[in-house]
Amino acid sequence: MTKIAFIGLGNMGLPMAANLVRAGHDVSGFDFSAAALQRAWEAGIAGAESGASAAKGAEVVLTMLPMGKHLIEAYTGDNGLLAAANPKTLFIDCSTVDIESAHVAHEAAAKAGMLSVDAPVSGGVGGATAGTLTFMVGALDDAFNAAKPVLAAMGKKIVHCGDAGAGQAAKICNNMILGVSMIAVSEAFVLGEKLGLSHRALFDVASNSSGQCWSLTSYCPVPGPVATSPANNSFKPGFAAALMLKDLKLSQAAAENAGATTALGLHATRIFDAFVAAGGADKDFSGVIEFLRAAHGGSRP
Ligand code: NAD
């Protein structure tokens, strides 16, 4: 049994913390939101008064926060986690943040004498609930080895991507593929509709042909072919378009810093930006198909 402080009990953090409790760990959770703390309490997670009080005496401090600025503030702000924890505590950040913030967090942790890991996830709320997340880890070997058993209680696949920040790099690249491929699949269905193809016919062909990809076969943007996809549920997230836009913007910032050409990534960012501005922020990102369908005949994105 490991004593774990879990900071950020939102859509992802709550089910992840619940899986740590189920695995027999001693979890103390904190979130700014009283509603999130209440849900955590109902799920059997002990609530702490602050992040710092959860971190005091913990062997592992795990964060699942919205963005880089929240991570840096939680680590180093007033009553911060790094100052509260004992030296040599393992800090695991599972949030998706920009690579620069990940480096700043690692450096602050090292300065405070901690082990640290960036370990963003893929698999969404469904994967967090089922304990089947994929973790992409950036860390030195000793921190990675220490984090592995904790991550194993929340996921099924743990990939050591490299040193500090490498997990965030992998996450950003993966989600750029996802954003681009969801638009490609959506465009194909919209074109198929215009050409008189049924959704079923296009799905049956493409899912058995070279157009096959996760956006088609696991998360199909039209209702019917994949029973669990948000298209069957009025595009309730799932993975909100606002978060996809955030990840695409992170990919473009990283591409600019690194001098990489990501023309489709840039175009996908613009399309999701327009979808979000048109009211799609809280819809599942596969709802971009409705935006593309509506754009036909009007101004093309
Ligand atoms: P969320 O907004 O539901 O939860 C974040 C929580 O963090 C909120 O409850 C907020 O109150 C809390 N918080 C912020 N700062 C805090 C602080 N200093 N101390 C304590 N609590 C604090 O977001 P989410 O959907 O759970 O996503 C969390 C992270 O996981 C994001 O970085 C997101 O990009 C990533 N992610 C999300 C999904 C998904 O499908 N939702 C999938 C993969 C990765």
Side-chain angles (χ1 to χ4, degrees):
M1 184 175 80
T2 304
K3 197 166 162 23
I4 300 175
F6 203 115
I7 316 300
L9 299 164
N11 291 328
M12 293 292 289
L14 174 57
M16 290 167 72
N19 280 328
L20 291 172
V21 171
R22 238 168 260 134
H25 296 298
D26 174 8
V27 181
S28 172
F30 179 69
D31 196 294
F32 284 148
S33 150
L37 274 176
Q38 172 67 22
R39 279 192 295 273
W41 183 76
E42 285 162 8
I45 300 155
E49 273 176 15
S50 65
S53 73
K56 221 165 267 171
E59 294 158 85
V60 175
V61 176
L62 211 150
T63 40
M64 193 51 167
L65 303 171
M67 294 163 76
K69 63 180 180 187
H70 304 106
L71 172 65
I72 304 302
E73 174 65 22
Y75 270 29
T76 64
D78 287 347
N79 213 12
L81 300 170
L82 288 171
N86 295 326
K88 293 204 169 25
T89 300
L90 173 64
F91 275 71
I92 302 177
D93 178 45
C94 293
S95 331
T96 303
V97 304
D98 58 287
I99 294 171
E100 201 192 324
S101 292
H103 282 297
V104 170
H106 275 285
E107 279 156 23
K111 214 169 148 196
M114 311 297 176
L115 296 177
S116 66
V117 160
D118 56 288
V121 307
S122 175
V125 174
T129 305
T132 57
L133 293 169
T134 295
F135 288 94
M136 309 153 216
V137 186
L140 298 174
D141 285 346
D142 55 345
F144 174 73
N145 290 331
K148 220 170 157 186
V150 178
L151 300 179
M154 301 180 287
K156 67 171 189 339
K157 181 87 185 157
I158 303 164
V159 183
H160 191 184
C161 299
D163 290 347
Q168 297 297 350
K171 170 72 185 175
I172 286 167
C173 292
N174 179 75
N175 276 24
M176 190 174 75
I177 297 173
L178 179 62
V180 169
S181 67
M182 182 54 78
I183 291 169
V185 169
S186 297
E187 285 185 351
F189 273 106
V190 172
L191 175 60
E193 288 163 7
K194 295 285 170 198
L195 299 177
L197 270 176
S198 70
H199 290 162
R200 171 54 67 182
L202 178 55
F203 180 84
D204 286 348
V205 169
S207 62
N208 288 289
S209 305
S210 42
Q212 192 277 331
C213 64
W214 189 91
S215 291
L216 177 72
T217 53
S218 293
Y219 220 80
C220 189
V222 295
V226 177
T228 51
S229 76
N232 299 290
N233 193 19
S234 311
F235 295 105
K236 285 208 184 85
F239 183 47
L243 287 178
M244 171 51 83
L245 177 60
K246 170 192 137 186
D247 291 356
L248 284 168
K249 284 183 172 169
L250 291 180
S251 77
Q252 293 316 291
E256 197 164 320
N257 281 341
T261 301
T262 54
L264 289 181
L266 175 61
H267 203 76
T269 308
R270 288 180 178 152
I271 289 175
F272 274 101
D273 211 353
F275 175 42
V276 165
D282 296 331
K283 287 193 173 171
D284 187 80
F285 81 109
S286 59
V288 75
I289 191 171
E290 294 187 314
F291 176 74
L292 295 167
R293 200 183 272 124
H296 183 79
S299 61
R300 291 163 67 92

